[in-house]
Amino acid sequence: MMSRDEAITVLKRFWKVNELKFMAEFHRPKREDGTYYKAKKGQNDFGFFRNFSANDHTIRYPSSKSLNYNRKVGIKQDVLYGLEDGKYYLVELELEDDSKRQENPYLLRVKAIHIEKNDHLPPKEFIQKWFYKKGRTPDDAATIAAQLSLNELELYTHTKRFIFELIQNADDMPSGGKPVCIEIELLQNHLLFLHNGKFFDRADVKAISDAAKSSKAKGISQTGYKGIGFKSVFTDSTTVYIKSGDYTFKFDKHEPVYSDFMALYKGYYLSLSHEARREFVSEFEGREQQFTNIDQIPWQIKPIWYDYGSLDDELESSSFSKMHSVAIALRIDNAVLKAKRYHSMINELLSKPRFLLFLRNTTELSYSPSGNQAGKGRVRVEVKRGERSLKLKVNGKPDSSFIKRNFDVLISNEAFVQSGMRFQKRELENGNIEFFSLDGRKLKDIPEKLGFLEKSIVTLAALHDNSEIQRLSEEESLLFNYLPTSDQRFGFPYLVNADFISKTDREFIQIENEWNHFLFHRIGRANIEWLQELASKTPETYLRLLPS
């Protein structure tokens, strides 16, 4: 029999948890007349804990010879004071006695139940609640919709930008230390974006369903801002499906609920007192059509649950319906796909695969065009990151190679002074961090999460071909913020990646930003140090890296 320690280790790894604590629904069996089954004389009334989940993902026992089919976790539980049928509780589990593990070596029992008030909802109910919460009242909805329209004008001037944003979000969601692998597929009327990162949890749903916030606000090891960047998917699509773990939901401009005023604001209406409900109806009577105008509704942040089997035939028969940690489908009419040359745009993007070089976790990206048969037309890009090198392959063949050097950038008030910067950082009473100028003015254009870091990293990478350093052309000289910007203003003869603060559209860095000034000071010092090192290794070609 598998040892107890081994079984627990397997379970924690399989469920991606550090401890065996889960949310679970308490269920009491009922007769046909709706009454609960009663225990036999001398026994306690009972129920079952079921629908165990970790990070909003339903758990099942690992496969074993005796558990090929029924791997659900369900545990009998005596009825205790405070346990209510249909409610969710935090339940701590432990391994069963060895005598009961003969058939299932992973069999668990309840160790402790945290019977306390909580607002945990299963995924479908949570999505419904969040739908009503975003744009809760007609006036709130109109205000948020107007802001989203302004953002749309300001953001994402290039179609390929939303591809970058999806890549960034995937790169920020590794699972279990494994590299992230991304697949893009183009169908007749959909663009699919699939990856093997971590499953969505409700923090991710909240972030992606918000006009400005992000689950990455203090995610120091994360690069992007999921809530903000994700809105770029609506550049050409008005229906976006997401399937991840136990979540299946969509953002759909054409959903019938948006033309039904009372259905749209049902959540808010039901939260009101009887008197307030009458006032609500009176206030908007005769104006319902104004507030069911889709331009007055922030549909881009209102998630709508969809059930399996409700997708159209193209999605049902596609890779979207197969097993992926995260699957996103953008409905884009074929006429738009052709007019905007999506196939050519993605192929062109992959023909210059340097955009993958500085991502933290993504090692592979593949693209399959519409009508792909037996791999025809499929493109696969791989990146291998070494301590001092970066190598790209396209369809298994070497594409390009870079030598690189990482330079630590200490983030401290002393480092700012040494670099001649006129700003500092400080910790506030509430534990937050803010940057401020020497005259005491708060610098709102430096993200707080940078203040939590002890150091940042600047990476310089030079093209290396036939054992020689090659100078990049001005056209190739882009600044990277983990993904490439379009910023060619600085003309470095090598690639530079750093935690730059970019403009809203992510295309260019903020030239007047004092944090960026600090980074450029450190880049200059790094360049000198790197050249000194390369002088002894590549004496014939190292001077090609001198900036013009």
Side-chain angles (χ1 to χ4, degrees):
M1 179 192 297
M2 184 184 297
S3 72
R4 299 181 68 84
D5 286 344
E6 183 183 357
I8 291 173
T9 299
V10 169
L11 288 175
K12 288 181 177 180
R13 184 172 62 245
F14 186 69
W15 291 330
K16 299 180 177 64
V17 297
N18 296 320
E19 53 184 355
L20 299 180
K21 290 183 178 180
F22 308 93
M23 296 304 300
E25 178 194 7
F26 184 65
H27 169 70
R28 290 190 64 184
K30 295 179 181 179
R31 298 186 179 89
E32 290 185 3
D33 62 4
T35 60
Y36 294 118
Y37 280 104
K38 288 290 184 180
K40 297 179 181 178
K41 188 175 181 180
Q43 297 180 350
N44 296 324
D45 290 336
F46 67 93
F48 296 89
F49 279 116
R50 64 182 187 180
N51 295 328
F52 285 83
S53 66
N55 301 318
D56 285 336
H57 180 58
T58 300
I59 64 169
R60 289 175 173 78
Y61 285 119
S63 295
S64 66
K65 291 181 179 179
S66 57
L67 292 174
N68 285 330
Y69 302 105
N70 185 13
R71 294 160 50 200
K72 292 183 179 179
V73 180
I75 301 175
K76 188 176 180 180
Q77 172 62 47
D78 289 346
V79 175
L80 302 174
Y81 177 77
L83 286 181
E84 298 181 42
D85 182 39
K87 297 289 185 180
Y88 279 76
Y89 301 90
L90 181 62
V91 181
E92 185 174 0
L93 304 179
E94 63 182 359
L95 214 58
E96 259 289 9
D97 293 334
D98 290 351
S99 60
K100 297 181 180 180
R101 293 197 301 125
Q102 302 296 324
E103 183 175 341
N104 177 7
Y106 307 108
L107 190 64
L108 297 166
R109 67 187 179 197
V110 173
K111 180 180 180 180
I113 308 167
H114 298 267
I115 302 178
E116 55 191 35
K117 185 177 181 180
N118 67 74
D119 60 354
H120 182 83
L121 295 171
K124 185 174 183 178
E125 293 176 37
F126 173 75
I127 291 293
Q128 181 68 77
K129 176 184 176 181
W130 212 246
F131 172 86
Y132 289 132
K133 186 171 183 176
K134 309 314 291 181
R136 192 161 181 255
T137 70
D139 291 326
D140 287 346
T143 300
I144 297 171
Q147 184 59 53
L148 287 171
S149 294
L150 288 174
N151 291 348
E152 187 177 341
L153 294 174
E154 190 175 348
L155 299 175
Y156 318 122
T157 55
H158 300 297
T159 302
K160 73 175 183 181
R161 200 71 217 174
F162 83 77
I163 301 287
F164 280 167
E165 295 298 340
L166 289 174
I167 291 172
Q168 187 71 79
N169 284 344
D171 190 67
D172 283 335
M173 296 178 70
S175 176
K178 297 178 181 178
V180 174
C181 297
I182 298 169
E183 299 176 43
I184 297 174
E185 293 187 23
L186 193 62
L187 308 181
Q188 288 296 314
N189 293 287
H190 293 88
L191 179 76
L192 306 186
F193 188 90
L194 320 165
H195 68 82
N196 66 338
K198 83 173 187 69
F199 295 112
F200 268 50
D201 57 27
R202 60 196 59 203
D204 296 314
V205 175
K206 288 179 179 179
I208 217 168
S209 306
D210 201 289
K213 293 180 181 178
S214 169
S215 64
K216 309 177 192 176
K218 291 187 180 179
I220 291 172
S221 64
Q222 297 175 313
T223 305
Y225 293 85
K226 181 185 280 94
I228 300 169
F230 184 78
K231 304 303 174 294
S232 62
V233 302
F234 302 114
T235 302
D236 292 324
S237 179
T238 54
T239 305
V240 176
Y241 299 90
I242 298 175
K243 179 172 70 72
S244 181
D246 290 354
Y247 286 99
T248 57
F249 62 99
K250 62 179 178 176
F251 300 96
D252 191 350
K253 184 178 183 178
H254 312 287
E255 188 70 13
V257 68
Y258 294 133
S259 61
D260 186 332
F261 181 82
M262 290 307 296
L264 181 57
Y265 296 105
K266 178 181 177 181
Y268 176 66
Y269 178 81
L270 293 178
S271 71
L272 301 174
S273 65
H274 290 295
E275 178 60 29
R277 290 180 185 181
R278 286 194 291 270
E279 291 177 1
F280 176 80
V281 172
S282 176
E283 179 182 358
F284 292 99
E285 188 173 10
R287 296 196 296 152
E288 295 90 347
Q289 188 172 354
Q290 174 187 344
F291 290 98
T292 51
N293 180 335
I294 198 64
D295 292 334
Q296 301 291 311
I297 300 169
W299 60 270
Q300 303 95 324
I301 61 170
K302 295 178 77 66
I304 298 170
W305 187 267
Y306 74 84
D307 293 312
Y308 286 104
S310 64
L311 300 173
D312 64 26
D313 291 342
E314 182 172 82
L315 281 186
E316 286 284 6
S317 60
S318 73
S319 298
F320 181 80
S321 296
K322 297 178 181 178
M323 292 297 294
H324 295 278
S325 295
V326 177
I328 300 173
L330 282 62
R331 168 77 191 190
I332 306 174
D333 287 341
N334 188 258
V336 176
L337 293 176
K338 290 181 177 179
K340 291 203 169 185
R341 301 173 64 247
Y342 263 73
H343 174 60
S344 298
M345 179 267 292
I346 297 173
N347 264 333
E348 182 181 351
L349 185 67
L350 296 184
S351 70
K352 302 173 183 178
R354 294 177 187 176
F355 67 90
L356 288 178
L357 285 172
F358 300 108
L359 291 172
R360 288 183 167 104
N361 302 296
T362 303
T363 59
E364 182 179 323
L365 188 151
S366 64
Y367 166 59
S368 299
S370 177
N372 178 42
Q373 295 179 349
K376 185 180 180 181
R378 186 172 186 266
V379 180
R380 180 165 61 95
V381 177
E382 302 168 88
V383 58
K384 184 177 181 180
R385 303 182 184 94
E387 184 177 348
R388 292 294 183 99
S389 66
L390 297 166
K391 296 182 179 181
L392 289 165
K393 288 184 177 182
V394 177
N395 290 335
K397 298 179 180 180
D399 175 82
S400 54
S401 179
F402 292 78
I403 55 172
K404 72 163 186 173
R405 174 77 190 278
N406 292 333
F407 295 87
D408 289 343
V409 177
L410 297 180
I411 302 176
S412 67
N413 289 336
E414 182 181 359
F416 301 151
V417 171
Q418 290 175 349
S419 300
M421 300 296 111
R422 298 185 57 79
F423 69 88
Q424 298 276 275
K425 70 171 183 173
R426 61 191 169 201
E427 184 174 354
L428 305 179
E429 291 183 0
N430 60 6
N432 291 342
I433 298 287
E434 74 173 14
F435 291 86
F436 64 98
S437 64
L438 295 186
D439 60 8
R441 176 175 49 88
K442 181 181 178 180
L443 300 178
K444 297 180 180 179
D445 58 354
I446 303 181
E448 180 190 23
K449 75 176 184 178
L450 292 172
F452 288 99
L453 293 168
E454 293 182 359
K455 66 180 182 180
S456 179
I457 294 176
V458 165
T459 302
L460 308 183
L463 185 63
H464 197 244
D465 187 26
N466 294 325
S467 300
E468 292 186 356
I469 291 174
Q470 302 295 332
R471 185 182 182 91
L472 295 181
S473 67
E474 290 186 7
E475 183 181 293
E476 296 175 298
S477 177
L478 298 174
L479 296 182
F480 280 67
N481 190 357
Y482 298 93
L483 280 166
T485 66
S486 297
D487 214 325
Q488 300 171 314
R489 292 175 291 179
F490 303 94
F492 292 110
Y494 44 77
L495 300 178
V496 179
N497 180 67
D499 285 306
F500 292 114
I501 298 173
S502 60
K503 293 185 176 181
T504 310
D505 61 6
R506 320 279 183 102
E507 296 283 352
F508 296 89
I509 70 166
Q510 296 179 16
I511 198 73
E512 299 298 330
N513 188 283
E514 294 195 55
W515 170 265
N516 288 339
H517 292 178
F518 172 60
L519 288 180
F520 274 106
H521 180 272
R522 307 311 295 178
I523 290 167
R525 295 178 65 90
N527 180 234
I528 295 172
E529 183 179 338
W530 197 30
L531 286 174
Q532 290 176 333
E533 177 184 302
L534 292 175
S536 61
K537 296 181 178 179
T538 55
E540 296 84 6
T541 58
Y542 80 99
L543 289 177
R544 293 175 181 174
L545 298 185
L546 278 174
S548 300

